Amino acid sequence: MTSVSRLTSKFQATIPLPVRAALGIRQGDAVAFEVENGQVRLSRATPRDVAFAQAVEGTLCEWDSAA
């Protein structure tokens, strides 16, 4: 299955209906992006994914510098 969506000026995209149906996601659900070798995998985020992202969110500021 191939579905296409366009980016808005804010780099947002609508997840096409066939993809939402295949993932079983609805409005308000969290999604996870996994990037590997130039390809992105989109999946429904599990509570564990969300908890991990929240736990490390405050520790990543060191990467937001020129150094």
PDB file of all heavy atoms in Angstrom, residues 13-34:
ATOM      1  N   ALA A  13       1.722  16.939   8.399  1.00  0.00           N
ATOM      2  CA  ALA A  13       1.122  16.135   7.337  1.00  0.00           C
ATOM      3  C   ALA A  13      -0.072  15.383   7.911  1.00  0.00           C
ATOM      4  O   ALA A  13      -0.079  15.005   9.074  1.00  0.00           O
ATOM      5  CB  ALA A  13       2.140  15.146   6.775  1.00  0.00           C
ATOM      6  N   THR A  14      -1.067  15.178   7.082  1.00  0.00           N
ATOM      7  CA  THR A  14      -2.211  14.362   7.464  1.00  0.00           C
ATOM      8  C   THR A  14      -1.868  12.910   7.185  1.00  0.00           C
ATOM      9  O   THR A  14      -1.360  12.579   6.113  1.00  0.00           O
ATOM     10  CB  THR A  14      -3.448  14.769   6.645  1.00  0.00           C
ATOM     11  OG1 THR A  14      -3.746  16.138   6.927  1.00  0.00           O
ATOM     12  CG2 THR A  14      -4.647  13.892   6.980  1.00  0.00           C
ATOM     13  N   ILE A  15      -2.118  12.057   8.162  1.00  0.00           N
ATOM     14  CA  ILE A  15      -1.903  10.627   7.946  1.00  0.00           C
ATOM     15  C   ILE A  15      -3.120  10.116   7.180  1.00  0.00           C
ATOM     16  O   ILE A  15      -4.243  10.211   7.664  1.00  0.00           O
ATOM     17  CB  ILE A  15      -1.729   9.879   9.278  1.00  0.00           C
ATOM     18  CG1 ILE A  15      -0.526  10.446  10.038  1.00  0.00           C
ATOM     19  CG2 ILE A  15      -1.577   8.382   9.037  1.00  0.00           C
ATOM     20  CD1 ILE A  15      -0.378   9.917  11.457  1.00  0.00           C
ATOM     21  N   PRO A  16      -2.904   9.592   5.971  1.00  0.00           N
ATOM     22  CA  PRO A  16      -4.042   9.156   5.138  1.00  0.00           C
ATOM     23  C   PRO A  16      -4.881   8.081   5.827  1.00  0.00           C
ATOM     24  O   PRO A  16      -4.377   7.283   6.624  1.00  0.00           O
ATOM     25  CB  PRO A  16      -3.359   8.597   3.890  1.00  0.00           C
ATOM     26  CG  PRO A  16      -2.026   9.284   3.850  1.00  0.00           C
ATOM     27  CD  PRO A  16      -1.628   9.429   5.290  1.00  0.00           C
ATOM     28  N   LEU A  17      -6.162   8.069   5.504  1.00  0.00           N
ATOM     29  CA  LEU A  17      -7.123   7.140   6.097  1.00  0.00           C
ATOM     30  C   LEU A  17      -6.680   5.679   6.031  1.00  0.00           C
ATOM     31  O   LEU A  17      -6.764   4.971   7.036  1.00  0.00           O
ATOM     32  CB  LEU A  17      -8.503   7.322   5.469  1.00  0.00           C
ATOM     33  CG  LEU A  17      -9.602   6.390   5.978  1.00  0.00           C
ATOM     34  CD1 LEU A  17      -9.801   6.569   7.481  1.00  0.00           C
ATOM     35  CD2 LEU A  17     -10.893   6.651   5.238  1.00  0.00           C
ATOM     36  N   PRO A  18      -6.180   5.186   4.887  1.00  0.00           N
ATOM     37  CA  PRO A  18      -5.771   3.769   4.863  1.00  0.00           C
ATOM     38  C   PRO A  18      -4.651   3.464   5.862  1.00  0.00           C
ATOM     39  O   PRO A  18      -4.619   2.381   6.450  1.00  0.00           O
ATOM     40  CB  PRO A  18      -5.298   3.554   3.428  1.00  0.00           C
ATOM     41  CG  PRO A  18      -5.932   4.640   2.631  1.00  0.00           C
ATOM     42  CD  PRO A  18      -6.069   5.803   3.562  1.00  0.00           C
ATOM     43  N   VAL A  19      -3.753   4.421   6.081  1.00  0.00           N
ATOM     44  CA  VAL A  19      -2.658   4.230   7.038  1.00  0.00           C
ATOM     45  C   VAL A  19      -3.207   4.256   8.459  1.00  0.00           C
ATOM     46  O   VAL A  19      -2.859   3.412   9.294  1.00  0.00           O
ATOM     47  CB  VAL A  19      -1.557   5.298   6.851  1.00  0.00           C
ATOM     48  CG1 VAL A  19      -0.462   5.141   7.894  1.00  0.00           C
ATOM     49  CG2 VAL A  19      -0.982   5.240   5.444  1.00  0.00           C
ATOM     50  N   ARG A  20      -4.097   5.217   8.742  1.00  0.00           N
ATOM     51  CA  ARG A  20      -4.717   5.287  10.081  1.00  0.00           C
ATOM     52  C   ARG A  20      -5.462   4.003  10.392  1.00  0.00           C
ATOM     53  O   ARG A  20      -5.377   3.471  11.505  1.00  0.00           O
ATOM     54  CB  ARG A  20      -5.672   6.487  10.163  1.00  0.00           C
ATOM     55  CG  ARG A  20      -4.986   7.825  10.048  1.00  0.00           C
ATOM     56  CD  ARG A  20      -5.900   9.000  10.402  1.00  0.00           C
ATOM     57  NE  ARG A  20      -7.207   8.983   9.814  1.00  0.00           N
ATOM     58  CZ  ARG A  20      -7.580   9.693   8.750  1.00  0.00           C
ATOM     59  NH1 ARG A  20      -6.716  10.457   8.111  1.00  0.00           N
ATOM     60  NH2 ARG A  20      -8.807   9.650   8.318  1.00  0.00           N
ATOM     61  N   ALA A  21      -6.173   3.482   9.396  1.00  0.00           N
ATOM     62  CA  ALA A  21      -6.935   2.247   9.596  1.00  0.00           C
ATOM     63  C   ALA A  21      -5.995   1.067   9.841  1.00  0.00           C
ATOM     64  O   ALA A  21      -6.235   0.244  10.724  1.00  0.00           O
ATOM     65  CB  ALA A  21      -7.830   1.979   8.391  1.00  0.00           C
ATOM     66  N   ALA A  22      -4.915   1.002   9.073  1.00  0.00           N
ATOM     67  CA  ALA A  22      -3.970  -0.110   9.225  1.00  0.00           C
ATOM     68  C   ALA A  22      -3.290  -0.089  10.597  1.00  0.00           C
ATOM     69  O   ALA A  22      -3.020  -1.143  11.174  1.00  0.00           O
ATOM     70  CB  ALA A  22      -2.922  -0.051   8.115  1.00  0.00           C
ATOM     71  N   LEU A  23      -3.021   1.120  11.122  1.00  0.00           N
ATOM     72  CA  LEU A  23      -2.363   1.250  12.422  1.00  0.00           C
ATOM     73  C   LEU A  23      -3.355   1.244  13.584  1.00  0.00           C
ATOM     74  O   LEU A  23      -2.958   1.117  14.734  1.00  0.00           O
ATOM     75  CB  LEU A  23      -1.526   2.528  12.484  1.00  0.00           C
ATOM     76  CG  LEU A  23      -0.344   2.616  11.528  1.00  0.00           C
ATOM     77  CD1 LEU A  23       0.335   3.977  11.644  1.00  0.00           C
ATOM     78  CD2 LEU A  23       0.642   1.504  11.802  1.00  0.00           C
ATOM     79  N   GLY A  24      -4.620   1.424  13.272  1.00  0.00           N
ATOM     80  CA  GLY A  24      -5.628   1.479  14.329  1.00  0.00           C
ATOM     81  C   GLY A  24      -5.495   2.726  15.187  1.00  0.00           C
ATOM     82  O   GLY A  24      -5.707   2.674  16.391  1.00  0.00           O
ATOM     83  N   ILE A  25      -5.143   3.855  14.550  1.00  0.00           N
ATOM     84  CA  ILE A  25      -4.988   5.102  15.305  1.00  0.00           C
ATOM     85  C   ILE A  25      -6.162   6.037  15.045  1.00  0.00           C
ATOM     86  O   ILE A  25      -6.780   5.996  13.980  1.00  0.00           O
ATOM     87  CB  ILE A  25      -3.654   5.802  14.982  1.00  0.00           C
ATOM     88  CG1 ILE A  25      -3.526   6.106  13.485  1.00  0.00           C
ATOM     89  CG2 ILE A  25      -2.478   4.967  15.465  1.00  0.00           C
ATOM     90  CD1 ILE A  25      -2.293   6.912  13.120  1.00  0.00           C
ATOM     91  N   ARG A  26      -6.426   6.841  16.069  1.00  0.00           N
ATOM     92  CA  ARG A  26      -7.515   7.809  15.986  1.00  0.00           C
ATOM     93  C   ARG A  26      -7.025   9.145  16.529  1.00  0.00           C
ATOM     94  O   ARG A  26      -5.929   9.247  17.075  1.00  0.00           O
ATOM     95  CB  ARG A  26      -8.715   7.325  16.793  1.00  0.00           C
ATOM     96  CG  ARG A  26      -9.250   5.999  16.277  1.00  0.00           C
ATOM     97  CD  ARG A  26     -10.554   5.587  16.873  1.00  0.00           C
ATOM     98  NE  ARG A  26     -10.596   5.691  18.336  1.00  0.00           N
ATOM     99  CZ  ARG A  26     -11.633   5.385  19.057  1.00  0.00           C
ATOM    100  NH1 ARG A  26     -12.716   4.925  18.478  1.00  0.00           N
ATOM    101  NH2 ARG A  26     -11.607   5.499  20.367  1.00  0.00           N
ATOM    102  N   GLN A  27      -7.862  10.160  16.406  1.00  0.00           N
ATOM    103  CA  GLN A  27      -7.526  11.495  16.887  1.00  0.00           C
ATOM    104  C   GLN A  27      -7.080  11.437  18.346  1.00  0.00           C
ATOM    105  O   GLN A  27      -7.722  10.788  19.173  1.00  0.00           O
ATOM    106  CB  GLN A  27      -8.740  12.407  16.753  1.00  0.00           C
ATOM    107  CG  GLN A  27      -8.499  13.817  17.203  1.00  0.00           C
ATOM    108  CD  GLN A  27      -9.726  14.694  17.005  1.00  0.00           C
ATOM    109  OE1 GLN A  27     -10.689  14.316  16.356  1.00  0.00           O
ATOM    110  NE2 GLN A  27      -9.684  15.864  17.584  1.00  0.00           N
ATOM    111  N   GLY A  28      -5.964  12.082  18.647  1.00  0.00           N
ATOM    112  CA  GLY A  28      -5.464  12.123  20.012  1.00  0.00           C
ATOM    113  C   GLY A  28      -4.464  11.032  20.343  1.00  0.00           C
ATOM    114  O   GLY A  28      -3.768  11.102  21.351  1.00  0.00           O
ATOM    115  N   ASP A  29      -4.371   9.995  19.503  1.00  0.00           N
ATOM    116  CA  ASP A  29      -3.391   8.935  19.730  1.00  0.00           C
ATOM    117  C   ASP A  29      -1.985   9.457  19.460  1.00  0.00           C
ATOM    118  O   ASP A  29      -1.791  10.392  18.680  1.00  0.00           O
ATOM    119  CB  ASP A  29      -3.653   7.734  18.809  1.00  0.00           C
ATOM    120  CG  ASP A  29      -4.869   6.922  19.210  1.00  0.00           C
ATOM    121  OD1 ASP A  29      -5.347   7.091  20.353  1.00  0.00           O
ATOM    122  OD2 ASP A  29      -5.343   6.126  18.386  1.00  0.00           O
ATOM    123  N   ALA A  30      -1.008   8.854  20.076  1.00  0.00           N
ATOM    124  CA  ALA A  30       0.395   9.188  19.843  1.00  0.00           C
ATOM    125  C   ALA A  30       0.955   8.214  18.807  1.00  0.00           C
ATOM    126  O   ALA A  30       0.572   7.050  18.765  1.00  0.00           O
ATOM    127  CB  ALA A  30       1.187   9.091  21.139  1.00  0.00           C
ATOM    128  N   VAL A  31       1.854   8.735  17.959  1.00  0.00           N
ATOM    129  CA  VAL A  31       2.528   7.890  16.986  1.00  0.00           C
ATOM    130  C   VAL A  31       4.034   7.966  17.224  1.00  0.00           C
ATOM    131  O   VAL A  31       4.536   8.950  17.762  1.00  0.00           O
ATOM    132  CB  VAL A  31       2.191   8.291  15.524  1.00  0.00           C
ATOM    133  CG1 VAL A  31       0.732   8.009  15.204  1.00  0.00           C
ATOM    134  CG2 VAL A  31       2.528   9.731  15.246  1.00  0.00           C
ATOM    135  N   ALA A  32       4.731   6.927  16.827  1.00  0.00           N
ATOM    136  CA  ALA A  32       6.182   6.863  16.990  1.00  0.00           C
ATOM    137  C   ALA A  32       6.826   6.810  15.612  1.00  0.00           C
ATOM    138  O   ALA A  32       6.303   6.171  14.697  1.00  0.00           O
ATOM    139  CB  ALA A  32       6.560   5.618  17.795  1.00  0.00           C
ATOM    140  N   PHE A  33       7.959   7.516  15.478  1.00  0.00           N
ATOM    141  CA  PHE A  33       8.722   7.528  14.236  1.00  0.00           C
ATOM    142  C   PHE A  33      10.066   6.870  14.504  1.00  0.00           C
ATOM    143  O   PHE A  33      10.772   7.255  15.422  1.00  0.00           O
ATOM    144  CB  PHE A  33       8.969   8.966  13.759  1.00  0.00           C
ATOM    145  CG  PHE A  33       7.712   9.725  13.453  1.00  0.00           C
ATOM    146  CD1 PHE A  33       7.070  10.458  14.440  1.00  0.00           C
ATOM    147  CD2 PHE A  33       7.163   9.727  12.182  1.00  0.00           C
ATOM    148  CE1 PHE A  33       5.920  11.178  14.172  1.00  0.00           C
ATOM    149  CE2 PHE A  33       6.017  10.437  11.902  1.00  0.00           C
ATOM    150  CZ  PHE A  33       5.394  11.167  12.897  1.00  0.00           C
ATOM    151  N   GLU A  34      10.407   5.896  13.709  1.00  0.00           N
ATOM    152  CA  GLU A  34      11.700   5.233  13.822  1.00  0.00           C
ATOM    153  C   GLU A  34      12.436   5.444  12.500  1.00  0.00           C
ATOM    154  O   GLU A  34      11.947   5.053  11.440  1.00  0.00           O
ATOM    155  CB  GLU A  34      11.515   3.741  14.084  1.00  0.00           C
ATOM    156  CG  GLU A  34      12.810   2.994  14.261  1.00  0.00           C
ATOM    157  CD  GLU A  34      12.580   1.517  14.512  1.00  0.00           C
ATOM    158  OE1 GLU A  34      11.470   1.141  14.934  1.00  0.00           O
ATOM    159  OE2 GLU A  34      13.512   0.747  14.262  1.00  0.00           O
TER     160      GLU A  34
END
